[in-house]
């Protein structure tokens, strides 16, 4: 049986017994039907896994006794940011989920000219909270013990990213294998919306030194392009070599 992994927003230390917050306690006891004596793993984003034992489980909540922390060895070896144009509903969720699994370190949602999604105010706050939940869930599933940083929604001209910028553009001649090398430092991959980046946005990226990158003879959907690039970079330079 797979040992449940749960994210908690609290400091953890060996020998401590902590009452789980309502959401992870409900998931552990009500959804997974864990009982006392069940092994669990907690993590709080500090890069460590904290194995523990469920010592209390009931309607009022759950208590876990924490053991010695371990390094799960799942931290990405590459520093890759993803600047992803806003996509509708499940498409954006899928991008985030796969990006976390593939080792992204920062995620910046982008509002571009041809985006079908417009966010502001309370609606933006709600979506950011939802996306943060997607990231946490993906980390629980894939074994990551640190959370990729979810940055606020920005317009393309507000994008600030360290290192190289790679802009995925249909028809670009430069292959991904020649666009960047880890010796240069971190990299951020810019993915446009379903309708693509407009001419002014492409020009803006080029003025900032972004490198145009092609992804072969076929046009990829916005929810496919980012994860595809992450997978290729991991195969070329990262965890998959």
């Amino acid at each position: 049986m797979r040992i449940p992994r749960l994210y908690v927003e609290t400091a953890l230390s060996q020998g401590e017994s902590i009452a789980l917050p309502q959401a992870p306690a409900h998931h552990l006891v009500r959804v997974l039907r864990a009982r006392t004596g069940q092994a669990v793993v907690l993590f709080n984003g500090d890069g460590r896994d904290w194995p523990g034992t469920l010592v209390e489980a009931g309607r009022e909540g759950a208590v876990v006794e924490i053991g010695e922390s371990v390094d799960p060895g799942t931290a990405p070896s590459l520093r890759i940011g993803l600047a992803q144009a806003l996509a509708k509903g499940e498409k954006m969720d899928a991008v985030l989920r796969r990006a976390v699994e593939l080792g992204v370190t920062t995620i910046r949602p982008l509002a571009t000219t041809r985006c079908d999604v417009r966010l502001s105010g309370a609606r933006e706050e709600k979506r950011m909270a939802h996306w943060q939940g997607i990231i946490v869930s993906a980390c629980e599933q894939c074994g990551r013990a640190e959370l990729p940083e979810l940055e606020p929604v920005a317009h393309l001209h507000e994008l600030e990213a360290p290192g190289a910028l790679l802009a995925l553009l249909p028809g670009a001649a430069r292959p991904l294998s020649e666009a960047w090398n880890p010796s240069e430092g971190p990299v951020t991959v810019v993915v446009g919306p379903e309708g693509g980046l407009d001419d002014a946005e492409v020009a803006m990226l080029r003025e900032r030194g972004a490198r145009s990158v092609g992804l072969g003879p076929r046009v990829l959907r916005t929810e496919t392009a980012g994860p595809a690039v992450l997978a290729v970079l991991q195969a070329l330079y990262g965890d998959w070599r």
Side-chain angles (χ1 to χ4, degrees):
M1 179 180 175
R2 182 173 180 178
I3 298 176
R5 295 185 77 250
L6 300 170
Y7 174 72
V8 292
E9 292 186 76
T10 186
L12 300 171
S13 61
Q14 184 178 353
E16 179 185 20
S17 293
I18 68 163
L20 296 181
Q22 182 178 5
H26 173 82
H27 182 71
L28 183 62
V29 177
R30 299 298 177 193
V31 178
L32 300 180
R33 299 187 179 279
R35 296 294 179 260
T36 55
Q38 166 74 55
V40 299
V41 173
L42 304 182
F43 70 103
N44 62 3
D46 67 357
R48 308 285 293 178
D49 271 356
W50 294 83
T53 303
L54 182 63
V55 293
E56 293 182 28
R59 293 184 179 275
E60 302 303 318
V63 176
V64 172
E65 185 178 284
I66 303 170
E68 183 178 0
S69 69
V70 297
D71 179 356
T74 55
S77 58
L78 301 177
R79 307 301 294 176
I80 308 174
L82 176 63
Q84 170 69 50
L86 295 170
K88 290 182 179 178
E90 293 183 359
K91 294 180 180 180
M92 195 71 177
D93 292 356
V95 170
L96 296 183
R97 223 175 261 115
R98 286 155 180 70
V100 171
E101 293 173 19
L102 291 165
V104 75
T105 51
T106 60
I107 300 169
R108 168 76 85 170
L110 289 179
T112 63
T113 302
R114 293 173 179 162
C115 279
D116 292 331
V117 179
R118 295 288 182 264
L119 296 176
S120 63
R123 186 175 179 220
E124 180 176 333
E125 291 179 9
K126 184 177 180 180
R127 295 309 296 172
M128 289 291 290
H130 172 75
W131 292 333
Q132 186 65 33
I134 292 290
I135 290 172
V136 167
S137 176
C139 285
E140 289 176 338
Q141 179 273 319
C142 74
R144 291 184 65 168
E146 81 298 321
L147 299 182
E149 181 181 1
L150 176 62
E151 299 178 337
V153 177
H155 292 277
L156 196 58
H157 68 272
E158 299 171 318
L159 176 62
E160 295 183 3
L165 273 179
L166 304 185
L168 307 186
L169 301 176
R174 178 186 291 154
L176 187 58
S177 59
E178 298 175 7
W180 172 78
N181 189 286
S183 62
E184 301 179 61
V187 64
T188 296
V189 179
V190 181
V191 180
E194 291 185 9
L197 300 171
D198 68 15
D199 292 343
E201 291 169 330
V202 172
M204 183 191 311
L205 284 168
R206 285 175 173 157
E207 287 174 5
R208 295 185 54 185
R211 306 165 192 179
S212 302
V213 177
L215 293 178
R218 292 167 295 282
V219 177
L220 302 185
R221 298 178 68 93
T222 186
E223 67 268 30
T224 304
V229 169
L230 291 171
V232 171
L233 291 178
Q234 293 289 13
L236 287 173
Y237 309 113
D239 303 335
W240 294 6
R241 288 188 299 168

